[in-house]
Amino acid sequence: MVLGLGAGVFAGIVAGELLGRVNPQRVRGAVGRLGRRAGPPMDPDTIERTVQDALRHSPETRHVAAKVHALGDGLVELTGTAPDAASRRAAGDTARSVPGAEVVVNRILIEGNDAPVRKPVPPSAR
């Protein structure tokens, strides 16, 4: 009995620690999306173009070299590199703001940290 009580207390502490770090806004957003589908699903190519345009036109993300992949069912994956963590985070936020991009998997690497720094492309090579 003491062993069971100890295991229960330990499991409660572990669960409390794990759940204590959960962002309440993200949980509310995920729960809100569970039963909600606004209209027919969008075409993946349209979602990709819209996200790419949004990234290109945002001052926070125009220096992010990202590729956008719409994987279906509102799932979008971002890959590429960003000059810093703030740009990487802004790219994920910008992608999430696009209608049809309900879940964004942000796999953008940070230059100099996760990936080598990109060399600028000379204007004559563009």
Side-chain angles (χ1 to χ4, degrees), residues 35-110:
R36 181 183 56 166
R37 286 257 184 210
M42 290 181 64
D43 174 48
D45 292 334
T46 302
I47 294 171
E48 286 179 7
R49 279 192 305 276
T50 307
V51 170
Q52 194 69 56
D53 288 344
L55 293 173
R56 198 174 302 121
H57 291 98
S58 170
E60 297 174 307
T61 61
R62 67 174 170 235
H63 298 294
V64 175
K67 291 184 181 176
V68 179
H69 308 281
L71 305 173
D73 291 332
L75 179 62
V76 174
E77 178 185 47
L78 302 177
T79 59
T81 57
D84 52 48
S87 298
R88 177 189 188 279
R89 200 170 23 261
D93 293 343
T94 300
R96 269 191 265 337
S97 72
V98 171
E102 298 190 21
V103 178
V104 176
V105 177
N106 191 345
R107 295 189 180 181
I108 294 176
L109 303 176
I110 300 170

Side-chain angles (χ1 to χ4, degrees), residues 2-12:
V2 173
L3 184 60
L5 177 64
V9 169
F10 179 73

